[in-house]
Amino acid sequence: MDPEIYKQTGDWLKCLLTIAWLLPLAGFVAEIFAGYWSTRLKKTAAYLAVGCIGTGFVCSLLASIIWLNATNWHPLKPHHAAHDEVAHGDGENAAGEHHESGHAEEKHAAADHDHPVATDEKDAEAEHDRPTAVSGTYYQIAHFGKLKLDIGYYIDSLTLVMFTMVTLIATCIHVFAIGYMSDELTEDYEDHFVHVGQGHLHRPGRFYRFFAFLSLFCFSMLGLVIAGNVFMVFVFWELVGICSYLLIGFYVERKSASTAANKAFIVNRVGDFGFLIGLMILWTSFGTFTFTQPDEALAKTDPGLFQMLRDDQGQITTQMAPDESKLVVLHGAGGEESTIPYYLMVAAGIGIFCGCVGKSAQFPLQTWLPDAMEGPTPVSALVHSATMVAAGVYLVGRFYPMFMPEVLLTIAYIGGITLFMAATIAIVATDIKRVLAYSTISQLGYMMLGLGVGGWAAGLLHLITHAFFKSLMFLCSGSVIHGCHHEQEMPKMGGLRKKMPITAYTMLIGVIAITGLAIPGVLAFSGYHSKDAILATSLAYARLNGSHPLLFFLPLAGAGITAFYMFRLWFYTFAGQPRDEHVHDHAHESPWVMTAPLLILSVFAAFVAVGGEEGPLWSMLVHSEPVGVANGTEAIPPGNINLPSHAHVGEVHAEAGRYALSIAVMGGVLAYLFYGIRVLNPSDVKRQLSGVHEFLVEKWRFDELYDVMFVRPVHIVSSWISAFDRVVIDGFLHGTAKVTMDVSEIDRRFDETVIDGIVNWVGQKTFAIGRSLSVVQTGQLRQYVVFIAGGLFGVLMLVYLLSF
């Protein structure tokens, strides 16, 4: 690309995304004072918030179009996904045959974007010149030696996709919230969940405050996405956590809400401790916070983290130290090379992933996310789809080049365990929002697993598709709760389909999307494409690494369980006969301000990933795929872990798809038999498997486990410390104070009796002597002469006597 055009494109992208990023912040500042500028009964704050985030979506969309135009729409051209000939030809024969696989890999590597083979010289040149990212600095805060603290930006296809997704979903949620939070438009809000001495709690409405918090949340997430360096990432990472604390604890007077907010905040700090350690290792080893330098000239003098670690082919150079330990070679400025221990890179990667475990509620820090349901439903939709939980997955994708194969293996297993565990809990949950909460944890596990097994684009594709269908389903649950007068228990629902048709059928679209059901070749929703991509990558990984079959069987089992609990939710809520006449009689469809966002999101939930790995969204993401991912990685000691290439994934794609679709159909049919036509009685299964059911209801007893492992020991230790403080420290201080007071009393008495007595006695005696001498001062001159003569005579007599 011509440098001038590249610069102009970069300037436009910077300008548009900066506007989209900062508008929610401006909205927050304005909205936080809206309660003072107008009455609590006006919707000014809501309209302002919708205007800011909506304009942000328009700017993001324009930036994406400019980016596509500047790259000759290359990101949307189908990437012949490396597996056309093999997968679509005779995938079964190709699977497992190394010789044919090798040829297939050569073919597909040739088609891959990292090593393009253009049909002519012109195409080859255009392919080489296409930009992959733009970056720069808004403002340099400080410069200490090699350390630069910048407010910078890094924009690539992933940034643009995330910006567009976040702003679009946030706009829909803001609009939905205008109707859902209308109860707060009052000077006297009665909270029926808080009991006080005189009845229920009464407080002023917080309509404007809610939208102010939402705006700040969006600003924080967009700042995390556009961050151009690790410093900015950490700042906005923490700001997202603070915003979640404010929103989850929105109903702060409710003990459950304030406890949930504290739990989310504290658990995330546990993960952030590891995150900080990882960042410190990176800084001390690399000496820079910058991700990468897209400009080749700058990259030679001031390379970023990714360029220092990996060469132009995306490979990591290692060497052995004299003591036989493994070292990683870093490529510094001007080709200068240095080394760091291999284990240190593994520790850095694990540390960074710890932060992602906290934010994205992965095992073992998953316990905070279901409790976050205490926040208003629009908050749940935003936290669970586009912002808070997406931040962890996004960061794994952004830091992907920094991860060693051992770190990716850890990510894959954590994701696999999480997805299976959360899915099993969702089977027995009866609160409609908590089913979706555990579903979110499970789907986040899918994303982590996809990234861990080498499916960079697959994991992020599921992030985008999940954001749409999960936000849709949360808003649908909000519509149900609103229509049923804040009833959330599904056993009290049933038969709502006729009373809430828009909510019911848009929810069904979300359910089909997340379960991955489809009619191959005819109709497939977004979840089918993204989940298939992950399962195919998992199967390829398991085939290349024979000791890790669980990394395929866990997501495969999870696909069936997902279909079961999601259709269970839908049948439980919308099908069958009403189970509570009071709830059913009062149920009603939500107003248009709430159902219109459902309709919009349902379209994207169904078709955002249209075309799958031949579609525009996939192609857009793959455009920013880290160099080298497409070709995979062959066995790297000491773990001898292989990462699959696009060709390997292509070989097994059709096979994995058949498995996934089959088990999803089984899960859906089972749910239909239990909760649709009820030919099977769930109570019988519950009775037969009462132990398992209780174990799942108790959420695998993680809360009890943490209570025993951490909470109670902390309480015991705290009570010891409190007793030590009360008895020893306070006793010592109190004793010291008493001794001091006693000594002071003695000192006071000594001073008053002895010192003052002596002084007073001396004074009195002096006064008495003075008074006695006053008799000799008569004022008669002759008498004074007699005294002088007598005195002189006495002196002479004394001198005379002393002379003998």
Side-chain angles (χ1 to χ4, degrees):
M1 174 183 281
D2 182 86
E4 187 61 29
I5 297 177
Y6 178 79
K7 182 177 182 307
Q8 290 178 358
T9 302
D11 290 342
W12 273 109
L13 294 180
K14 173 188 173 185
C15 178
L16 289 169
L17 293 193
T18 302
I19 293 172
W21 170 36
L22 295 182
L23 268 179
L25 177 63
F28 163 73
V29 175
E31 292 149 17
I32 203 68
F33 294 105
Y36 302 101
W37 296 342
S38 60
T39 70
R40 298 177 190 277
L41 306 181
K42 292 185 177 179
K43 296 183 179 179
T44 308
Y47 297 144
L48 192 58
V50 172
C52 289
I53 196 67
T55 306
F57 167 65
V58 173
C59 291
S60 302
L61 189 61
L62 286 175
S64 299
I65 294 172
I66 290 173
W67 173 251
L68 293 171
N69 191 51
T71 54
N72 198 23
W73 296 82
H74 185 282
L76 293 191
K77 292 179 180 177
H79 289 251
H80 295 293
H83 53 272
D84 287 348
E85 295 85 351
V86 176
H88 300 168
D90 55 352
E92 294 87 347
N93 295 332
E97 296 181 17
H98 179 74
H99 180 70
E100 292 181 19
S101 169
H103 287 296
E105 184 173 354
E106 291 174 5
K107 293 176 186 177
H108 294 303
D112 183 77
H113 77 283
D114 285 331
H115 303 282
V117 177
T119 53
D120 53 37
E121 186 176 346
K122 185 177 179 181
D123 289 345
E125 184 177 351
E127 181 77 7
H128 177 73
D129 288 343
R130 63 184 173 83
T132 56
V134 294
S135 70
T137 302
Y138 291 111
Y139 178 73
Q140 186 173 92
I141 300 173
H143 191 175
F144 308 105
K146 292 191 300 181
L147 174 62
K148 297 177 183 176
L149 299 181
D150 297 334
I151 300 176
Y153 59 91
Y154 183 82
I155 302 171
D156 60 358
S157 290
L158 177 59
T159 309
L160 292 165
V161 170
M162 288 293 293
F163 253 76
T164 308
M165 180 270 286
V166 171
T167 52
L168 173 59
I169 290 178
T171 302
C172 292
I173 292 173
H174 277 65
V175 174
F176 180 89
I178 294 175
Y180 190 85
M181 299 300 292
S182 58
D183 289 350
E184 294 281 346
L185 281 168
T186 177
E187 294 288 353
D188 182 22
Y189 178 85
E190 183 178 4
D191 193 334
H192 295 277
F193 293 91
V194 181
H195 300 277
V196 294
Q198 306 302 321
H200 294 142
L201 173 73
H202 289 260
R203 60 169 173 78
R206 298 170 182 160
F207 191 77
Y208 67 92
R209 186 190 296 185
F210 177 79
F211 282 94
F213 289 166
L214 279 187
S215 294
L216 186 62
F217 204 0
C218 294
F219 162 74
S220 306
M221 183 63 192
L222 294 176
L224 179 64
V225 174
I226 202 173
N229 53 66
V230 176
F231 168 71
M232 274 187 71
V233 165
F234 185 72
V235 170
F236 286 99
W237 184 262
E238 295 303 322
L239 197 53
V240 168
I242 293 171
C243 292
S244 69
Y245 172 81
L246 296 174
L247 285 169
I248 295 170
F250 182 75
Y251 300 116
V252 65
E253 294 85 1
R254 303 177 188 175
K255 183 172 175 22
S256 56
S258 59
T259 302
N262 289 333
K263 189 174 183 180
F265 190 80
I266 293 170
V267 171
N268 273 279
R269 298 293 76 72
V270 174
D272 289 351
F273 180 71
F275 189 44
L276 272 175
I277 293 175
L279 294 185
M280 285 190 287
I281 292 174
L282 291 183
W283 157 241
T284 53
S285 303
F286 290 75
T288 181
F289 279 159
T290 305
F291 287 138
T292 187
Q293 290 283 3
D295 190 313
E296 292 184 4
L298 288 176
K300 292 178 181 176
T301 58
D302 188 18
L305 290 168
F306 306 158
Q307 290 150 330
M308 292 180 70
L309 181 63
R310 295 180 181 265
D311 60 20
D312 294 340
Q313 305 302 316
Q315 301 301 315
I316 298 172
T317 306
T318 60
Q319 64 183 41
M320 301 303 291
D323 60 354
E324 299 297 320
S325 62
K326 195 174 181 181
L327 302 174
V328 176
V329 178
L330 304 182
H331 312 284
E336 181 183 351
E337 292 188 348
S338 59
T339 59
I340 64 170
Y342 189 84
Y343 73 84
L344 211 54
M345 280 305 304
V346 174
I350 295 290
I352 291 170
F353 179 60
C354 282
C356 302
V357 166
K359 276 286 184 295
S360 289
Q362 296 293 286
F363 169 81
L365 301 180
Q366 79 285 356
T367 56
W368 69 269
L369 194 54
D371 291 352
M373 295 299 97
E374 292 296 334
T377 302
V379 172
S380 304
L382 199 59
V383 169
H384 283 243
S385 59
T387 54
M388 180 79 170
V389 299
V393 179
Y394 169 78
L395 201 64
V396 171
R398 183 57 85 198
F399 272 91
Y400 197 85
M402 305 301 296
F403 294 143
M404 301 292 106
E406 291 81 3
V407 178
L408 293 176
L409 181 65
T410 304
I411 294 173
Y413 268 108
I414 292 293
I417 294 170
T418 304
L419 77 88
F420 180 76
M421 179 185 64
T424 56
I425 299 174
I427 292 175
V428 298
T430 55
D431 185 312
I432 188 171
K433 284 179 67 178
R434 287 188 181 269
V435 174
L436 296 177
Y438 283 109
S439 170
T440 297
I441 298 174
S442 180
Q443 300 307 309
L444 292 171
Y446 268 104
M447 298 170 208
M448 290 294 187
L449 184 140
L451 290 164
V453 296
W456 185 87
L460 292 175
L461 179 69
H462 199 54
L463 168 66
I464 304 299
T465 60
H466 173 265
F468 282 104
F469 52 66
K470 188 50 64 70
S471 58
L472 167 65
M473 289 190 288
F474 261 112
L475 294 189
C476 286
S477 72
S479 178
V480 169
I481 294 168
H482 183 267
C484 295
H485 294 276
H486 299 285
E487 180 56 60
Q488 296 185 198
E489 284 294 317
M490 293 187 297
K492 294 184 179 180
M493 299 176 186
L496 294 180
R497 176 169 48 90
K498 293 180 180 177
K499 287 213 166 188
M500 309 178 73
I502 297 177
T503 303
Y505 290 112
T506 51
M507 175 69 103
L508 184 60
I509 291 174
V511 169
I512 295 174
I514 194 174
T515 54
L517 290 180
I519 304 174
V522 179
L523 180 63
F525 287 174
S526 60
Y528 170 80
H529 298 296
S530 57
K531 197 168 287 186
D532 264 18
I534 291 175
L535 280 165
T537 312
S538 302
L539 182 56
Y541 187 94
R543 293 269 169 86
L544 288 174
N545 304 277
S547 58
H548 302 291
L550 275 179
L551 293 180
F552 173 67
F553 290 120
L554 284 175
L556 184 64
I561 300 173
T562 302
F564 177 79
Y565 71 69
M566 288 310 308
F567 276 105
R568 169 180 176 266
L569 179 150
W570 196 88
F571 289 131
Y572 229 151
T573 307
F574 298 104
Q577 298 301 316
R579 285 180 288 277
D580 188 314
E581 290 298 332
H582 177 74
V583 172
H584 188 264
D585 290 344
H586 289 82
H588 58 83
E589 185 59 280
S590 300
W592 275 103
V593 71
M594 295 172 67
T595 53
L598 304 185
L599 295 171
I600 295 171
L601 287 175
S602 64
V603 174
F604 284 93
F607 303 115
V608 68
V610 63
E613 291 170 64
E614 303 292 336
L617 179 58
W618 173 269
S619 300
M620 187 85 171
L621 289 172
V622 167
H623 187 72
S624 295
E625 189 176 56
V627 176
V629 172
N631 293 326
T633 304
E634 295 185 357
I636 298 178
N640 291 325
I641 299 169
N642 297 280
L643 293 178
S645 65
H646 285 188
H648 288 127
V649 176
E651 291 172 5
V652 300
H653 198 283
E655 181 184 357
R658 285 195 296 273
Y659 293 149
L661 186 58
S662 300
I663 198 166
V665 170
M666 291 170 59
V669 170
L670 201 59
Y672 179 70
L673 296 176
F674 271 110
Y675 300 97
I677 57 176
R678 290 186 174 271
V679 296
L680 299 175
N681 188 354
S683 299
D684 292 339
V685 179
K686 178 181 175 181
R687 188 169 51 254
Q688 294 291 332
L689 303 173
S690 58
V692 176
H693 181 268
E694 183 182 355
F695 179 68
L696 297 180
V697 168
E698 295 297 330
K699 300 166 284 189
W700 284 44
R701 300 192 184 280
F702 270 96
D703 283 334
E704 288 82 354
L705 179 66
Y706 291 160
D707 188 58
V708 172
M709 290 178 63
F710 302 110
V711 178
R712 292 185 188 177
V714 167
H715 282 177
I716 293 172
V717 172
S718 300
S719 64
W720 291 348
I721 294 175
S722 175
F724 180 79
D725 177 66
R726 187 174 58 255
V727 176
V728 180
I729 303 297
D730 288 355
F732 174 74
L733 293 176
H734 293 165
T736 304
K738 187 173 185 308
V739 170
T740 303
M741 290 179 65
D742 292 343
V743 170
S744 300
E745 179 65 19
I746 295 171
D747 181 67
R748 182 180 67 81
R749 293 183 179 180
F750 178 79
D751 181 66
E752 290 176 354
T753 56
V754 179
I755 303 300
D756 289 355
I758 294 172
V759 171
N760 292 339
W761 180 81
V762 171
Q764 291 169 357
K765 293 304 177 185
T766 303
F767 181 78
I769 293 172
R771 292 289 298 175
S772 62
L773 291 177
S774 65
V775 297
V776 299
Q777 189 175 4
T778 61
Q780 296 179 6
L781 185 58
R782 286 178 297 184
Q783 192 176 21
Y784 291 163
V785 172
V786 173
F787 287 160
I788 294 172
L792 181 61
F793 176 77
V795 171
L796 290 176
M797 286 302 292
L798 182 62
V799 172
Y800 175 77
L801 291 174
L802 291 176
S803 64
F804 289 99

